[in-house]
């Protein structure tokens, strides 16, 4: 029997939000992230069969977790190599939850964080680590990950399949490493957390601009890392950046979900508590840094400039442009250059910024990046080149896969004066 649309939508929504926790919880039992994902999918199939008939459970996330865990225990019981252990602990696996606090002060008793460190193992390439973690922890589709990477979807699909196979064949432990191993994987972990937050902050696809659950998970993981590694400046830098960005969430959309541009946001709706947390985290990053600030600390400093400004016009754009220049030197990226162009447009005018944007037009990785024509359209509008601006906003609308962004861009086309 096919599920009714309302039930199917509820199931899809719940699974998208809960699948990272389900995969992480099951991986702790089966010690294989690929199998854990399959068992999570089995739980989804069970939900598709039962929820339309019996109704959506009061706690659907717990239902999915329990169903997947039971199947995981059944699978472990069938493994001959676990036969003796299961006679003693098999029943406990079904009923005993992990302790809320770690027994070892240097341990992290958090399945989601274990999943991040496991999928960021050095046996995987940096690209594979991030793609797999976004798939398992972020619950993103291969298409969404491809969009975040600005690479073809088949490339991401191959990375994920190969990464899961490598972790299984190399018997990578489902754990948070200690000592030098932890330090070696930290940079990749920070990158993964940042990409997860970004997917929640500006969803690549769907009907909603925001996916708050992803932002909350990423921010929570960053805070855990910050407390675990108090002497790591980039951990504090990332935490500060996410605190500042999360502070703007309430002001980034209107009552109907329509995106609100930074210049039009009501800054009284910015969360001052999160801004204060960001300021403290950035201070810790500065205090622990032995030299020049790292990429995340620089981005946090940029976000702090916005947080300290009472209005868009009062923002210290010249400092922001300088910080973007430092960031581009430390971590070269076409996207960083595009953001620098926006800051330059406010500090030195749209004409100078347009020269920077034009130089990025031939950049292959930005060919299908909707923010490039969007920024160019804004600069052309400010220069009075309305017809060209209309073309750029229209092109940006065709490139984005987020419906809210598409409507906003088309609205900008409609708002331009007729020629």
């Amino acid at each position: 029997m096919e599920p009714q649309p309302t039930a199917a939508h509820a199931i899809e929504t719940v699974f998208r939000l809960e699948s990272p926790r389900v995969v992480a919880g099951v991986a702790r039992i089966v010690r294989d992230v690929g199998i854990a994902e399959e068992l999570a999918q089995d739980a989804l199939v069970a939900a598709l069969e039962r929820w339309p008939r019996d109704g959506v459970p009061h706690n659907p996330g717990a239902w999915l977790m329990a169903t997947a865990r039971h199947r995981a225990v059944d699978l472990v019981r069938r493994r001959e190599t676990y036969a003796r252990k299961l006679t003693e602990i098999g029943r406990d696996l079904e009923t005993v939850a992990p302790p809320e606090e770690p027994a070892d002060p240097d341990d992290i008793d958090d399945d989601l964080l274990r999943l991040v460190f496991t999928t960021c193992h050095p046996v995987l390439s940096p690209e594979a680590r991030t793609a797999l973690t976004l798939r398992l922890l972020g619950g993103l589709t291969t298409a969404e990950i491809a969009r975040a990477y600005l690479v073809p979807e088949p490339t991401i699909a191959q990375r994920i399949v190969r990464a899961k196979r490598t972790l299984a064949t190399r018997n990578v432990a489902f754990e948070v490493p200690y000592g030098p191993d932890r330090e070696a994987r930290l940079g990749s972990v920070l990158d993964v957390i940042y990409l997860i937050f970004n997917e929640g902050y500006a969803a690549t696809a769907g009907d909603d601009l925001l996916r708050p659950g992803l932002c909350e998970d990423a921010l929570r993981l960053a805070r855990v890392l910050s407390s675990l590694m108090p002497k790591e400046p980039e951990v504090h830098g990332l935490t500060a950046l996410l605190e500042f960005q999360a502070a703007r969430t309430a002001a980034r959309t209107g009552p109907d979900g329509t995106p609100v541009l930074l210049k039009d946001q009501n800054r009284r709706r910015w969360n001052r508590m999160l801004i204060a947390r960001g300021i403290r985290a950035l201070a810790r990053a500065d205090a622990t840094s032995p030299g020049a600030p790292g990429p995340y600390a620089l981005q946090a400093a940029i976000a702090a400039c916005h947080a300290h400004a009472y209005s868009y016009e009062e923002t210290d754009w010249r400092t922001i442009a300088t910080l973007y220049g430092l960031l581009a030197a430390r971590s070269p990226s076409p996207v960083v250059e595009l953001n620098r162009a926006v800051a330059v447009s406010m500090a030195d005018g749209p004409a100078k910024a347009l020269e920077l944007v034009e130089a990025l037009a031939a950049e292959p990785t930005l060919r299908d990046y909707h923010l490039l024509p969007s920024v160019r359209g804004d600069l052309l509008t400010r220069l009075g080149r309305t017809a060209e601006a209309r073309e750029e906003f229209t092109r940006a609308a065709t490139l984005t896969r987020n419906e809210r962004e598409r409507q906003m861009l088309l609205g900008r086309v409609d708002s331009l004066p007729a020629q």
Side-chain angles (χ1 to χ4, degrees):
M1 178 180 177
E2 292 293 326
Q4 296 298 316
T6 53
H9 179 73
I11 295 168
E12 179 184 356
T13 301
V14 169
F15 187 76
R16 191 174 181 89
L17 294 173
E18 298 294 338
S19 63
R21 293 182 180 86
V22 175
V23 171
V26 173
R28 180 163 51 86
I29 298 173
V30 299
R31 305 289 170 173
D32 185 307
V33 294
I35 294 176
E37 187 179 21
E38 292 176 4
L39 292 170
Q41 291 289 339
D42 288 345
L44 172 62
V45 172
L48 287 168
E49 293 173 349
R50 296 181 56 178
W51 291 7
R53 182 189 67 223
D54 302 336
V56 178
H58 177 68
N59 190 335
W63 190 98
L64 288 169
M65 178 67 82
T67 301
R69 281 171 59 90
H70 289 157
R71 291 171 188 243
V73 171
D74 289 341
L75 176 63
V76 171
R77 281 181 173 148
R78 292 196 298 269
R79 292 177 176 175
E80 292 182 358
T81 55
Y82 282 82
R84 285 184 299 175
K85 291 183 180 180
L86 287 173
T87 59
E88 302 173 3
I89 66 171
R91 183 171 300 175
D92 290 340
L93 285 172
E94 291 183 294
T95 58
V96 177
E100 293 184 0
E101 298 294 335
D104 189 323
D106 197 34
D107 196 9
I108 307 175
D109 202 359
D110 187 305
D111 288 337
L112 285 174
L113 202 54
R114 285 193 184 100
L115 184 59
V116 175
F117 272 95
T118 300
T119 56
C120 291
H121 197 279
V123 298
L124 303 177
S125 69
E127 295 81 7
R129 297 173 203 170
T130 307
L132 181 60
T133 306
L134 284 171
R135 170 68 177 166
L136 298 181
L137 183 77
L140 308 187
T141 65
T142 54
E144 290 169 335
I145 301 171
R147 185 69 173 176
Y149 270 122
L150 303 177
V151 297
E153 185 175 343
T155 301
I156 295 298
Q158 291 175 0
R159 287 177 188 172
I160 292 172
V161 170
R162 292 171 182 168
K164 288 191 288 189
R165 185 184 303 126
T166 299
L167 291 177
T169 57
R170 298 290 289 273
N171 295 316
V172 172
F174 183 68
E175 64 181 8
V176 176
Y178 293 88
D181 288 341
R182 181 182 292 175
E183 301 299 327
R185 280 192 247 174
L186 179 59
S188 182
V189 170
L190 296 181
D191 291 345
V192 167
I193 294 174
Y194 183 48
L195 280 175
I196 291 171
F197 182 90
N198 278 347
E199 179 57 31
Y201 193 70
T204 57
D207 297 331
D208 298 315
L209 178 69
L210 306 177
R211 294 175 60 190
L214 285 179
C215 291
E216 292 168 4
D217 279 341
L219 185 52
R220 180 177 62 83
L221 292 173
R223 288 170 178 169
V224 169
L225 278 181
S226 186
S227 63
L228 178 73
M229 302 179 176
K231 297 181 180 180
E232 289 291 339
E234 276 292 80
V235 173
H236 297 306
L238 175 65
T239 304
L241 174 61
L242 301 194
E243 300 280 11
F244 285 131
Q245 298 289 70
R248 305 180 199 166
T249 300
R252 293 188 64 241
T253 56
D256 61 349
T258 302
V260 179
L261 296 174
L262 178 62
K263 65 184 181 65
D264 298 322
Q265 288 177 17
N266 179 359
R267 301 195 173 206
R268 288 176 295 182
R269 298 191 66 196
W270 287 7
N271 189 314
R272 307 313 300 183
M273 181 188 72
L274 293 180
I275 289 175
R277 292 182 66 117
I279 292 172
R280 291 195 294 269
L282 183 56
R284 286 192 291 269
D286 292 338
T288 55
S289 179
Y296 287 116
L298 285 170
Q299 291 179 76
I302 292 169
C305 288
H306 290 294
H308 286 303
Y310 289 104
S311 69
Y312 188 76
E313 292 72 23
E314 294 178 49
T315 305
D316 188 351
W317 290 107
R318 197 164 299 281
T319 294
I320 291 177
T322 299
L323 289 170
Y324 269 122
L326 295 174
L327 181 60
R330 182 70 185 268
S331 184
S333 162
V335 174
V336 171
E337 291 292 350
L338 183 62
N339 288 330
R340 184 168 77 91
V342 174
V344 168
S345 77
M346 297 302 298
D348 300 318
K352 186 172 182 179
L354 186 60
E355 295 177 7
L356 300 176
V357 172
E358 298 288 10
L360 296 172
E363 177 61 46
T365 58
L366 296 182
R367 183 178 58 187
D368 297 323
Y369 189 48
H370 72 282
L371 290 182
L372 177 61
S374 177
V375 169
R376 190 169 186 272
D378 182 70
L379 297 176
L380 291 168
T381 299
R382 291 166 59 187
L383 290 169
R385 295 161 61 178
T386 307
E388 294 173 83
R390 180 177 288 103
E391 292 179 3
E392 292 299 313
F393 287 133
T394 301
R395 180 168 181 268
T398 64
L399 290 176
T400 183
R401 296 176 57 212
N402 185 281
E403 185 59 30
R404 294 292 186 179
E405 280 191 319
R406 179 180 294 108
Q407 293 302 320
M408 179 190 70
L409 290 165
L410 293 176
R412 298 201 68 179
V413 172
D414 294 338
S415 67
L416 293 172
Q419 292 296 305

